[in-house]
Amino acid sequence: MENHLIVVDTDVIIDFFRDISPAAGVFSELISLKKAALTAISVFELYARIEGAKRLRQIENLVQELIILPLNTLEAAIAGRISTQLKSRGKRVGTQDILIAAICVANDLPLYTKNMAHFSLIKDIRLLSPNEVLSHGTN
């Protein structure tokens, strides 16, 4: 896997579709640099939130253009360990976020998300702010 890729969380994609800054601009830059990746979990979340034919076309075009990282046995095992660690510390994170985090950890890739508070509860994941994404993405 190419380590210069940045995994983009679902919340950033939704802001991109709605043209909300800074997510829309940062994500556009990653796309133009061919450094954006999605997880199969984010693809599921996007299709599950479809609001009309226009949004469906946007999602289909986006999914065809980007690298989609799958959920395989390794990622599932890592997700199970993350879930167990969180429970032992009395912390709650949604299953889909745990799966996204596990895919990032398994592929040694950072995550660009607006949900820093939630994902920061997960050990071993690298999170990027918009400014960090731009500096990381241009290297």
Side-chain angles (χ1 to χ4, degrees), residues 36-103:
L38 293 179
T39 67
I41 309 309
S42 288
V43 172
F44 159 75
E45 289 180 322
L46 290 169
Y47 275 105
R49 296 179 184 171
I50 289 177
E51 301 165 359
K54 178 183 176 187
R55 182 72 74 222
L56 175 60
R57 283 190 305 279
Q58 289 174 316
I59 293 168
E60 288 171 342
N61 291 337
L62 186 68
V63 168
Q64 288 178 352
E65 189 171 339
L66 299 179
I67 293 171
I68 308 299
L69 301 171
L71 174 69
N72 292 316
T73 305
L74 173 64
E75 292 85 354
I78 291 170
R81 286 193 291 275
I82 290 170
S83 181
T84 299
Q85 290 169 354
L86 289 168
K87 286 178 188 172
S88 73
R89 294 181 4 237
K91 305 293 181 185
R92 295 183 56 105
V93 173
T95 301
Q96 288 145 309
D97 287 346
I98 291 171
L99 293 169
I100 290 168
I103 292 169

